[in-house]
Amino acid sequence: MEKLSHIQGTIVPIPVNDIDTDQIIPARFLKVTDKVGLGKAAFCDWRYGEDGETPNPDFILNKVEYQGAAVLVAGDNFGCGSSREHAPWALLGAGFKAVVSTDFADIFRNNALKNGLLPIAVDADTQQQLFSLAEEDPRAAVQINVETQTLTLPDGRKVSFPLDGFSKYCLLNGVDQLGYLLALDDEVREFEAKNPQRVVTTA
Amino acid sequence: MAENGKARTLFEKVWQPHIVREQSDDTPAVLYIDLHLVHEVTSPQAFSMLRERGLKVRRPDLTIGTMDHSTPTTPRNDLGVIPVADAMASKQLDTFAKNCEDFGIPMYALGDEHQGIVHVIGPEKGLTQPGMTIVCGDSHTSTHGAFGALAFGIGTSELGHVLATQTLLQNKPKTMAVNVAGRLGAGVTAKDIILAVIAKIGIGGGTGRVFEYRGEAIRSLSMEGRMTVCNMSIEGGARAGMVAPDDTTYEYIAGREHAPSGAEWDAAVARWRDLPSDEGAVFDKEITIHADELTPMITYGTNPGMGMPITAAVPAPEDESDYNRKIALDKALTYMDLAPGQRLLGQAIDVVFIGSCTNSRITDLRQAADFIKGRKVAEGLRMMVVPGSQQVKAQAESEGLDAIFREAGAEWREAGCSMCIAMNGDQLQPGQYAVSTSNRNFEGRQGKGGRTFLASPLTAAASAVAGVVTDPRAMMTGLSQGEG
């Protein structure tokens, strides 16, 4: 994983509550055995017409002025539903580095952080302000500082966001979490010696 | 028993003994995983990661695989093989078979007599037992909590963590007691309980929490009914859902392939009897619903929280005070092509789907078959019945349920996730309406442009016969106490 300390970029608003992972990436794209090409299918059923290819001109991700946005601002409870990690893969593939909402579904948050996609939970007022800003001025940019856990709005106002210490460490240092677990091998062995296994699937 | 005088919840009694390293200010807890279920869709990138880093699967003997999501449910050919027409699905299934073989993981392939939906086969084979930690790269892993296990869905990165280390990094969730008081009336089932709970708390209402379902109505449910309830915990946003084990649990597990036997069985049951929450245990939050006030439930919108009693009218966006929720409801009704204030009873439907990890077990099929026996599926309506596993299918066939469905005009299919996820050939056409026993009514979930009404197997069967959304109670004779 690459190091992530700062994000600077424009924002694109999708002011819809409860955006589920089936909208972020429909199940029919889950037949892949790698992570390649999922960005094109992000929000597929909102983004393209009946044929799945012709861009829907009304959908904001297709509007010229919002191309290249790094931050997605969404309605409440983003990423609910399926555990598919294809959702953050698709968002990263579509160029996003952070998603702002008032709240994130647990599994989506976990999946996003493990891939360097930053879930930023803000209060409802900030969320509404970002919606308005982005709608009024597609060039409005925000700055995000992982170390200080702050989101800076175009007017200079700083909003802090929660981030657990371990995820922060991993993001800032570009290390994935598996390394930490692999290093605990002795403790796992000790645990296994004390706790007999409950089932044997290979029996 | 309360340890050190402190009353503990069921969740705490499962969580604490599985801690390899305690949570600290800097790091989440490291949790040991007793059983890891894998399937073809969310695992390939995790196996690739293992190969890239030269890692082994640490405990293949605590891991089991099955093919379910991208598998067709169409009939076997003359060779007894279920053909896979989709080249990408075929490649994914072959990749999964090779991964399981290379890493020594036992796996049930398409066509195997034990293949089925991952959350159906775990309990069916006796692998799901009280007090265990169970994970799978699928959000409906919460199903296994019906046995008093702590079971939750994980992503593909976490799947790699469990394959490589048999552990997971987890921040300790909060708890929420969901009390379901009283008894269910006739025609009202486990599915209606969980749809009512989600309608009450909303789809984000359980975020960061583990539910414990309690109360008389839960105790009266069969294990299949408890699995239906726990299955949809994730639709309330919860990390997991649990039910304390009792004699119903032990009777279900006894004698199954992986269940303990002899003296080990007695020791296991003695241990399991200590799991229920202690009297006076404190939950971070509690809610109560009254089973005797419940009716059959149905969803009208595009998430599982948009549910209502089947006799009710679709809510109006203008009655919603919260702006974002008003917009969401308006968007949902546009997608569903429903009018505010409209009643769903009598709404024409095109498809009825009975299946999925929510409602594809033998008791679900028995309920639907009992209802449909001697009746016919409405003309022009497609009814699909998809057993959750090959074992469920065989059991149903030995009871003659397949014949009942076929004679009524329904399709009797091979086992799999089928139309719940629409990535295997089974799907709605754009604009079609379905009454579905599955768990998600998201836009396009059952096929692009498809419109889903979530309901119980009984409501689905009644609606199949009538050709319109129907309250099963209106068609039931000799009403008996609800179950399931």
Side-chain angles (χ1 to χ4, degrees), chain A residues 89-148:
Chain A
W89 297 336
L91 291 169
L92 286 162
F96 293 111
K97 294 187 167 59
V99 183
V100 178
S101 174
T102 52
D103 199 8
F104 293 88
D106 292 322
I107 308 178
F108 177 83
R109 182 202 299 271
N110 283 345
N111 287 342
L113 285 167
K114 287 182 177 61
N115 289 277
L117 177 71
L118 194 61
I120 299 181
V122 297
D123 59 277
D125 286 345
T126 303
Q127 176 199 34
Q128 291 303 327
Q129 194 181 342
L130 286 167
F131 284 153
S132 310
L133 262 171
E135 278 158 19
E136 284 160 20
D137 179 9
R139 290 164 303 168
V142 293
Q143 293 183 47
I144 296 156
N145 185 320
V146 177
E147 174 67 46
T148 59

Side-chain angles (χ1 to χ4, degrees), chain A residues 191 195 198, chain B residues 1-19 22 31-32 34 129-134 147-151 172-175 210-212 214 242-245 250 268-283:
Chain A
F191 179 94
N195 296 277
R198 296 290 307 275
Chain B
M1 291 295 113
E3 217 169 66
N4 306 326
K6 187 178 180 299
R8 295 184 303 157
T9 62
L10 165 63
F11 161 74
E12 282 158 344
K13 293 183 190 185
V14 183
W15 171 268
Q16 199 53 43
H18 287 90
I19 298 297
E22 291 283 356
L31 192 69
Y32 194 81
D34 290 323
Q129 296 174 20
M132 290 172 70
T133 47
I134 301 174
F147 292 79
L150 174 62
K172 189 178 182 180
K174 293 190 181 308
T175 55
V210 170
F211 292 163
E212 182 183 327
R214 301 159 60 84
M242 302 174 85
V243 173
Y250 313 142
V269 172
R271 219 170 47 236
W272 297 339
R273 286 197 190 282
D274 277 339
L275 285 172
S277 293
D278 299 322
E279 189 144 343
V282 177
F283 296 87

Side-chain angles (χ1 to χ4, degrees), chain B residues 273-346:
Chain B
R273 286 197 190 282
D274 277 339
L275 285 172
S277 293
D278 299 322
E279 189 144 343
V282 177
F283 296 87
D284 297 306
K285 191 174 176 184
E286 286 208 40
I287 64 158
T288 298
I289 64 167
H290 297 277
D292 31 18
E293 294 169 8
L294 291 183
T295 63
M297 295 286 293
I298 195 159
T299 61
Y300 53 84
T302 52
N303 73 52
M306 294 180 175
M308 65 180 190
I310 196 164
T311 49
V314 172
E318 61 260 33
D319 295 340
E320 181 60 68
S321 55
D322 179 86
Y323 177 76
N324 286 349
R325 291 177 58 136
K326 185 197 297 268
I327 299 294
L329 179 56
D330 189 58
K331 187 175 187 300
L333 296 187
T334 302
Y335 181 84
M336 295 296 289
D337 196 18
L338 296 172
Q342 175 185 347
R343 289 193 187 269
L344 282 190
L345 286 177

Side-chain angles (χ1 to χ4, degrees), chain B residues 69-80:
Chain B
H69 283 65
S70 60
T71 52
T73 64
T74 41
R76 289 165 194 260
N77 64 19
D78 294 344
L79 301 169

Side-chain angles (χ1 to χ4, degrees), chain B residues 121-146:
Chain B
I121 69 163
E124 178 175 278
K125 301 191 74 60
L127 286 165
T128 301
Q129 296 174 20
M132 290 172 70
T133 47
I134 301 174
V135 297
C136 173
D138 187 283
S139 61
H140 292 111
T141 308
S142 56
T143 310
H144 306 263

Side-chain angles (χ1 to χ4, degrees), chain B residues 18 43 55 156 204 216 294 314 344 357 390:
Chain B
H18 287 90
S43 65
L55 296 167
T156 299
E216 189 187 359
L294 291 183
V314 172
L344 282 190
C357 58
Q390 291 294 341

